[in-house]
Amino acid sequence: MKRPALKNFRRIVVKVGSSLLVDSDAGEVRAKWLSALVADIAKLHGEGRDVLVVSSGSIALGRSRLKLPRGPLKLEESQGAAAVGQIALARIWSEVLGAHGIGAGQILVTLQDTEERRRYLNARSTIAKLLEWRAVPVINENDTVATNEIRYGDNDRLAARVATMASADLLILLSDIDGLYDAPPGANPNAKLIPIVESVTSEIEGMAGAAESELSRGGMFTKIEAAKIATTSGTHMLIASGKIEHPLQAIADGGRCTWFLTPANPVTARKRWIAGSLEPKGTLTIDAGAVAALRAGKSLLPAGVIRIDGHFARGDAVVVRGPDTHEVGRGLVAYDAEDAEKIKGRSSPDVMAILGISGRAEMIHRDDLVVGPAGTVPVK
């Protein structure tokens, strides 16, 4: 299969690990390397692409600022170090991106933010707004509150979740190694780089290794896990070396890396999840005009809703039916059932007056809606 080209992707998530960002001996950020990476990001940004960064480093920077000894930290020590390091990390990214005239927005997430639908939608909306403003979201696991039971454990899988949440079409994992090899390259000089992985098979999973750095919680195993998350959700992924300067430019120039390909695209995969993987909590019955609007690719507005059934919360899946009761589609509703009942049939400008808050204009946004062909239900 032909190798993809970086220029063909519109929304890119770049994951930067602690071992690349932080000099463990000096306890400081590798300033020269980071400047080169950000120059690459600025170039992509200047070409009109959306760029998100998933950055490790808060604990590493925090333990340096606090002069903590080397070795494993207790959970509360890691959380305290992260609290100090997050301030430093956010400032560093803000300064280096600001030097190129690009704003940065910090987002701290936990596992629950991507597993619980309402938190997922809130985080997704924040990311979307930052990208709309042409800022670069800088995302990290919220190590100050995450516990061993709920944390991701590595930022590779976090980056994959963020990529799917943001409907990114490419995830780049910058690593200590330039890709996936058929054997550990450190132990086997004849190990060969695998340039393209069409699907993550048991054989590919068997090639995973362990973390190489004290500062990194990841390793090839977690990168393979990230590849499964990303490609299943319609996002291409690649592993490339971050030990060189201008690593993104090297990828664009055809440098060594491993591509993990997906047959789907982010919208299709997401909408398949909405259509078939969630249990509907209620039903919205809409008028004929709204049915026509949805089939034309529009969002569902409150004005088109004529009946509310069920007990659902914002972010829950609901069935959308036409006036003839036939199922039109399914989607993630933007309002609780009680509020939806209050605003059904009303124009969007009336929503604020009725609810007393400035809510979303759509009852279901088109990005959160699956519409089946006329006369059918969505395919599960």
Side-chain angles (χ1 to χ4, degrees):
M1 188 173 288
K2 184 179 179 182
R3 168 178 168 148
L6 190 61
K7 66 181 180 180
N8 294 331
F9 294 93
R10 62 173 184 84
R11 181 167 293 176
I12 302 169
V13 175
V14 181
K15 181 262 180 177
V16 181
S18 293
S19 59
L20 295 176
L21 186 66
V22 180
D23 184 326
S24 59
D25 293 327
E28 294 294 336
V29 165
R30 302 179 193 271
K32 184 179 178 183
W33 177 86
L34 181 57
S35 294
L37 171 64
V38 172
D40 290 351
I41 292 174
K43 182 178 179 181
L44 293 172
H45 187 273
E47 293 170 349
R49 307 182 200 287
D50 294 335
V51 183
L52 301 85
V53 173
V54 174
S55 175
S56 303
S58 62
I59 295 177
L61 287 173
R63 72 186 299 163
S64 172
R65 299 292 193 272
L66 295 167
K67 302 188 184 323
L68 301 179
R70 286 179 175 269
L73 297 175
K74 297 178 181 178
L75 176 61
E76 62 271 20
E77 292 173 336
S78 294
Q79 291 172 328
V84 173
Q86 280 170 358
I87 294 175
L89 189 65
R91 177 181 57 79
I92 289 165
W93 279 106
S94 179
E95 289 179 352
V96 293
L97 287 166
H100 293 270
I102 302 172
Q106 184 189 43
I107 301 177
L108 300 176
V109 299
T110 65
L111 176 64
Q112 291 175 323
D113 293 322
T114 56
E115 295 301 311
E116 294 183 10
R117 288 190 293 278
R118 287 211 268 184
R119 294 191 188 187
Y120 171 94
L121 290 174
N122 284 333
R124 177 180 167 87
S125 295
T126 301
I127 290 171
K129 183 54 66 175
L130 288 172
L131 294 175
E132 180 185 327
W133 288 339
R134 300 300 294 150
V136 171
V138 179
I139 301 159
N140 193 6
E141 184 173 12
N142 192 353
D143 290 305
T144 61
V145 299
T147 67
N148 288 336
E149 289 76 22
I150 65 172
R151 71 186 311 161
Y152 287 94
D154 65 88
N155 273 6
D156 294 325
R157 280 176 285 202
L158 170 61
R161 293 292 188 192
V162 168
T164 61
M165 181 191 299
S167 293
D169 44 9
L170 177 62
L171 167 62
I172 298 175
L173 301 183
L174 296 180
S175 176
D176 293 335
I177 192 169
D178 56 6
L180 175 66
Y181 284 76
D182 60 2
N188 186 345
N190 296 318
K192 296 180 180 179
L193 178 74
I194 301 174
I196 296 178
V197 175
E198 295 186 25
S199 62
V200 180
T201 62
S202 58
E203 181 182 3
I204 294 296
E205 290 180 297
M207 298 176 186
E212 299 292 338
S213 167
E214 175 192 13
L215 296 180
S216 174
R217 295 198 299 266
M220 192 55 67
F221 173 79
T222 66
K223 290 172 175 56
I224 298 301
E225 290 296 301
K228 290 195 291 185
I229 294 169
T231 56
T232 298
S233 301
T235 300
H236 293 283
M237 192 189 93
L238 70 83
I239 302 171
S241 174
K243 299 177 75 172
I244 60 175
E245 290 191 8
H246 298 286
L248 301 184
Q249 185 59 51
I251 295 169
D253 292 340
R256 289 169 63 85
C257 63
T258 297
W259 286 86
F260 294 81
L261 306 184
T262 177
N265 63 68
V267 173
T268 300
R270 172 176 163 75
K271 293 196 173 185
R272 186 182 299 118
W273 171 69
I274 292 171
S277 300
L278 301 177
E279 180 183 355
K281 302 295 185 181
T283 301
L284 306 185
T285 302
I286 64 177
D287 61 30
V291 172
L294 298 193
R295 297 207 183 282
K298 305 294 185 181
S299 298
L300 175 60
L301 301 179
V305 180
I306 57 179
R307 179 172 172 174
I308 305 291
D309 293 291
H311 300 282
F312 51 83
R314 174 176 173 258
D316 281 339
V318 295
V319 174
V320 180
R321 297 188 183 278
D324 57 1
T325 74
H326 287 157
E327 184 171 330
V328 176
R330 301 186 181 197
L332 304 182
V333 67
Y335 289 94
D336 296 343
E338 183 179 352
D339 288 341
E341 181 68 38
K342 293 176 182 177
I343 63 175
K344 70 179 183 184
R346 306 299 290 269
S347 64
S348 297
D350 292 339
V351 171
M352 183 174 180
I354 295 170
L355 300 181
I357 58 172
S358 180
R360 287 169 170 77
E362 307 88 0
M363 188 76 80
I364 303 178
H365 192 278
R366 64 182 182 182
D367 289 346
D368 298 324
L369 182 68
V370 181
V371 179
T376 67
V377 297
V379 177
K380 293 188 177 181

